[in-house]
């Protein structure tokens, strides 16, 4: 049920009721907004795009993006916390890769959208 907090009068009650029933819960919408906040950073998008192509270590990502290891590590921590990338240790190096296929799909669809 909708709680009235607006100064507007409903014009299409059936549509409002139908859409309201299909709206995700506020907690889920907040998580979605947080997801896009993480994705809304140029450096993180560049990191994700690189990792879409290949798993990479911090050193290689630093060279590729012309950034310090510290800066890359900081951004990777944010991406790990958001469950967009994962890490796997291989000898002395840690390699990063996209968490799952969904991340790749989001990147590709977003690029397709802005390229039209």
């Amino acid at each position: 049920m909708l709680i009235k907090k607006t100064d507007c009068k409903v014009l299409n009650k059936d549509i409002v009721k139908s859409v309201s029933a299909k709206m995700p819960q506020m907690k889920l919408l907040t998580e979605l907004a947080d997801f896009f906040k993480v994705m809304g950073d140029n450096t993180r998008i560049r990191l994700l795009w690189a990792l879409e192509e290949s798993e990479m270590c911090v050193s290689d990502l630093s060279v590729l993006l012309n950034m310090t290891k510290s800066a890359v590590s900081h951004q990777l921590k944010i991406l790990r916390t958001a469950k967009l990338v994962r890490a796997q240790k291989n000898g002395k190096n840690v390699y990063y890769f996209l968490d799952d296929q969904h991340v790749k799909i989001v990147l590709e669809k977003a690029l397709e959208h802005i390229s039209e």
Side-chain angles (χ1 to χ4, degrees), residues 1-114:
M1 171 167 264
L2 293 175
I3 299 171
K4 190 170 183 179
K5 292 185 179 180
T6 180
D7 59 352
C8 295
K9 190 174 185 178
V10 68
L11 299 178
N12 300 291
K13 189 176 184 178
D14 291 338
I15 292 173
V16 171
K17 186 176 179 180
S18 173
V19 172
S20 177
K22 295 175 185 175
M23 292 284 289
Q25 292 182 352
M26 185 56 82
K27 181 180 184 237
L28 198 55
L29 291 172
T30 299
E31 289 175 14
L32 184 60
D34 290 343
F35 169 82
F36 282 109
K37 285 178 190 173
V38 170
M39 297 285 281
D41 178 88
N42 184 282
T43 299
R44 290 191 287 265
I45 288 293
R46 291 169 53 214
L47 284 165
L48 290 170
W49 204 267
L51 296 174
E52 178 183 5
E53 293 297 321
S54 176
E55 68 178 39
M56 296 177 77
C57 65
V58 173
S59 293
D60 291 343
L61 286 164
S62 297
V63 170
L64 177 68
L65 302 180
N66 193 28
M67 296 174 60
T68 65
K69 281 181 162 183
S70 176
V72 168
S73 294
H74 174 73
Q75 295 302 328
L76 287 168
K77 181 179 180 185
I78 293 168
L79 292 171
R80 279 194 328 266
T81 301
K83 298 180 182 170
L84 295 174
V85 300
R86 286 190 280 158
Q88 183 173 337
K89 192 164 179 129
N90 187 353
K92 292 182 178 183
N93 291 317
V94 177
Y95 287 86
Y96 293 85
F97 51 95
L98 296 183
D99 186 70
D100 61 26
Q101 195 68 12
H102 295 111
V103 179
K104 182 177 181 173
I105 292 168
V106 168
L107 287 171
E108 289 173 349
K109 289 296 180 184
L111 184 62
E112 180 182 319
H113 176 73
I114 63 166

